[in-house]
Amino acid sequence: TIGATALVALGASSIKAASDFNENLNKVRVVFRDSSKAIEEFAKDARTNLGLSQSVALGAAGTFGNLFTAMKIGRPAAVEMSKGILQLASDLASFNNIRPEEALEKLRAGLVGEVEPLRTLGVNLNDATVEAKAMALGLIKVKGEMTPAIKAQAAYALILEQTRSAQGDFA
């Protein structure tokens, strides 16, 4: 019957949602280790504060945290940067009338050097501005080595600067 089929489908989707949540929570705990509680607490209010489910917020934070730690950015900084990216994605999504997941993907792309997706959000990064920001932040000296961590931190700072008009829009 239709009712039984709907009930089976509901049960299957509930099991998948629970599994996704547990996988995302596990990812956060593995990536952030002792710092994971800060992300877990942040994600508890994700529906209200970010327009994301707790599971999606955990998954996105884990993805960004994994990216930041792979770039040799310390865990405490990776926690704060991941939370900042999630909040910014919600604000940019609201400001630009796009889905938060789309904003997250554009931000991820920009942090790894793919600048075109960010332009649709009003962010204009290039090698010269990223290098200048890294110098201004004291991360490198003139013509110093631009490691992935330095590039990401400088790009993050520029993204925050260039999105000020959208910040707070979700609220």
Side-chain angles (χ1 to χ4, degrees):
T1 68
I2 294 174
T5 303
L7 190 57
V8 168
L10 177 63
S13 76
S14 295
I15 291 169
K16 180 174 179 355
S19 175
D20 289 349
F21 176 83
N22 286 329
E23 288 295 324
N24 288 330
L25 182 59
N26 185 56
K27 179 178 12 176
V28 163
R29 289 177 175 168
V30 168
V31 168
F32 293 108
R33 297 184 187 160
D34 293 342
S35 301
S36 68
K37 290 291 182 210
I39 294 292
E40 291 175 46
E41 286 300 314
F42 179 75
K44 282 183 180 176
D45 298 320
R47 174 105 32 227
T48 304
N49 297 335
L50 303 172
L52 298 169
S53 72
Q54 183 179 7
S55 181
V56 169
L58 287 169
T63 296
F64 279 98
N66 196 37
L67 176 65
F68 295 141
T69 57
M71 293 176 171
K72 307 291 186 232
I73 294 173
R75 280 189 177 76
V79 166
E80 292 310 310
M81 290 172 73
S82 297
K83 289 175 8 181
I85 286 290
L86 265 67
Q87 185 62 60
L88 181 58
S90 292
D91 290 337
L92 288 169
S94 174
F95 190 77
N96 292 289
N97 198 29
I98 61 174
R99 292 180 7 266
E101 293 84 357
E102 184 179 348
L104 284 164
E105 181 54 31
K106 290 173 187 273
L107 289 166
R108 185 215 49 83
L111 289 169
V112 297
E114 301 169 26
V115 297
E116 190 58 37
L118 284 177
R119 291 193 176 119
T120 64
L121 301 176
V123 177
N124 187 26
L125 297 184
N126 59 48
D127 290 340
T129 58
V130 171
E131 185 174 354
K133 180 49 92 176
M135 284 189 283
L137 293 170
L139 300 172
I140 61 166
K141 296 184 191 292
V142 177
K143 298 296 177 191
E145 181 186 358
M146 291 283 289
T147 66
I150 291 170
K151 286 180 185 176
Q153 289 173 78
Y156 180 82
L158 286 166
I159 290 166
L160 289 176
E161 284 177 13
Q162 294 183 23
T163 58
R164 281 195 182 114
S165 60
Q167 291 173 23
D169 196 77
F170 180 78

